[in-house]
């Protein structure tokens, strides 16, 4: 909260701590931001898309290169810096483009599809 205060945004920031069911909050968010400079395959990206919540992330977040062309255009936005991040979040807040709870993950990421892919690997 000290940094939020220094930046003059403390009235807009709330740190809520550990949540037993974070997907409830994720599902109702305008967007989820994954601002990592280096990241493996990010579960929070997959979980957010599964909740139908758009994700704004850096190109360095693992797996986004594979996902970006498979999800709806507004579902996964890649940003290259703070200014671009701010502009993208403002745009999402204004347009409110969402699929209200519908998963934004491609068909290849459904439970059935992933199980089938694992079973195929085992058979081989």
């Amino acid at each position: 909260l000290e940094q939020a205060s220094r930046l003059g945004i403390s009235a807009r920031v709330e740190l809520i701590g550990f949540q037993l069911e974070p997907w409830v909050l994720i599902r109702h968010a305008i967007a989820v931001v994954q601002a990592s400079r280096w990241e493996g395959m990010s579960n929070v990206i997959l979980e957010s898309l599964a909740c139908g919540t758009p994700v704004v992330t850096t190109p360095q977040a693992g797996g986004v290169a594979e996902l970006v062309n498979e999800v709806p255009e507004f579902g996964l936005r890649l940003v290259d810096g703070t200014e671009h991040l701010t502009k993208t979040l403002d745009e999402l807040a204004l347009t409110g483009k969402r699929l209200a709870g519908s998963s934004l993950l491609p068909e290849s990421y459904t439970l059935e599809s992933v199980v089938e892919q694992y079973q195929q690997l085992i058979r081989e």
Side-chain angles (χ1 to χ4, degrees):
L1 287 178
E2 289 177 27
Q3 184 174 6
S5 183
R6 280 195 306 274
L7 294 171
I9 60 171
S10 57
R12 296 172 49 194
V13 174
E14 181 180 359
L15 302 177
I16 58 175
F18 175 79
Q19 299 293 304
L20 189 58
E21 298 180 354
W23 51 87
V24 174
L25 298 171
I26 291 170
R27 185 169 184 233
H28 292 85
I30 293 169
V32 168
V33 177
Q34 174 74 358
S36 299
R37 290 191 177 135
W38 300 276
E39 183 78 33
M41 174 48 100
S42 174
N43 283 341
V44 74
I45 290 175
L46 297 174
E47 291 163 351
S48 300
L49 292 171
C51 288
T53 302
V55 174
V56 179
T57 185
T58 60
Q60 293 82 9
V64 297
E66 292 82 3
L67 280 174
V68 74
N69 293 321
E70 295 187 50
V71 299
E73 179 185 344
F74 61 88
L76 187 59
R77 304 274 187 98
L78 302 182
V79 296
D80 57 11
T82 305
E83 188 175 311
H84 191 198
L85 170 66
T86 303
K87 181 181 175 188
T88 302
L89 289 174
D90 285 345
E91 181 183 311
L92 284 169
L94 289 174
T95 62
K97 268 191 173 177
R98 298 253 347 236
L99 290 179
S102 298
S103 176
L104 297 172
L105 283 174
E107 187 67 29
S108 60
Y109 284 78
T110 65
L111 177 61
E112 296 79 13
S113 177
V114 171
V115 167
E116 176 59 33
Q117 290 173 56
Y118 275 116
Q119 288 174 338
Q120 184 63 36
L121 283 172
I122 292 168
R123 286 190 289 265
E124 293 174 358

